[in-house]
Amino acid sequence: YRVAIENYLEPYLNYYVVKDLDEAQAAIRLLNKAQKGKANFFILDAFKDFQSPATLTPSEAKPAVDLIQCDPAHRNLINFLLHHVVVTETDELAKEISDEKLTVLAKSGRYIQRKYTISGGSVGLFEGKKIGRKKNLEVLEKTIQRSQQEEDKLSSRLHQLRDQLSQLKMAKDAGSIQQAQARLNQTIQEIATLRAKRESFENYLAENAFRRKEIEERIEQLSAKNKEIESALGSMSKEVEKAREQISNTDGSFRKVAEELSQASAAYNEKNIAFIRQQNKVSSIQRELSFREKNLDEARATLANAQRLLQQSTDEIASLNDQIEQLQKDLLEMYDLRKSKEGSLSEAEQEFFKARGGVNEIEDKL
């Protein structure tokens, strides 16, 4: 399961595990002082009270936390990183993942599946060999110790068998000699196998010791560079102190210049205020002038409109006067016609009354 879990934990493989916040702060200060970039840290004390939430595990998968061997001090950290992770034995993708927080790993390391995402591909030759190296070294040391103990036991057994073989040879017992010889050969083979394993383990330890030596040399080089940086910082601090002394010596002249600058600034501010006031007055006058010009334009437009209306009214009055004169003429003519009509009517009435009187006389005679 090492490949699958290592692929999942790859974003965290460069994290450092520290005991508490003080160690993390000390490491950050060291990185900052040496200008060696940034690093991420897991703080074990922060996981002291961590409890893994309950996770629904599919029947064909195993919880990843149950597959990890670690020191008790790191158990809560492992639970935090893998409490929602399960490992399946097959390379077939799950058709559906109901829990959004659940992550399914293939044992072969070919894919990592979540509810909404999936990642995977080929598995490299060196994958699965990054995590647990320190633990492997401890296991190898214990294995070597056990092998040495077994070798000692087998060596003791070999001596016993050789003694028995010598005794049997002296007793000239052929059957017992063959059996003892067979046991001796088997023991020799086991010893050779154990020696080969021990040599392999010793070579591995030697290689790790060489790497450790290289790391220690690198640490010494970094320490030397840190000392150089500290020395440079010390010299720079001295230069800063000298600069501060020079600044303090020139503080008196600086104050005088500052006072003159303050007076000049005050005078400038007064002139600037007067200028702003004058500018405000000019702006006010310009606004008033613009308002007056606008009113004048409106008055001119109103006057032109009134003159136009007056001309129209004058024309209408002249036309009405002409009509009145014509009506007066017509009225006079009508008056004359009326008088003539009235005269004719009077004559007709007289003739009517005269004729009627004649008719009355004739009626009386009849």
Side-chain angles (χ1 to χ4, degrees), residues 333-344:
E333 290 178 356
M334 293 295 291
Y335 280 147
D336 293 338
L337 181 60
R338 179 182 176 185
K339 288 179 179 180
S340 63
K341 293 288 185 180
E342 286 178 349
S344 300

Side-chain angles (χ1 to χ4, degrees), residues 110-126:
R110 287 189 173 88
Y111 70 82
I112 300 173
Q113 184 180 7
R114 298 179 179 88
K115 183 173 182 178
Y116 301 111
T117 61
I118 184 170
S119 61
S122 62
V123 179
L125 296 175
F126 298 100

Side-chain angles (χ1 to χ4, degrees), residues 1-13 62-70 75 77-79 81-89 103-112 114 123 127-132:
Y1 304 100
R2 185 187 300 273
V3 176
I5 294 176
E6 182 180 299
N7 286 339
Y8 175 75
L9 294 177
E10 185 175 1
Y12 305 105
L13 293 183
K62 299 178 182 179
V65 293
D66 296 341
L67 305 174
I68 300 295
Q69 295 180 358
C70 65
R75 175 52 61 182
L77 173 59
I78 297 299
N79 292 340
L81 294 174
L82 301 175
H83 68 273
H84 55 278
V85 180
V86 297
V87 182
T88 179
E89 298 288 339
T103 301
V104 179
L105 310 180
K107 181 180 178 180
S108 61
R110 287 189 173 88
Y111 70 82
I112 300 173
R114 298 179 179 88
V123 179
E127 293 185 11
K129 298 180 181 179
K130 298 177 183 178
I131 59 176

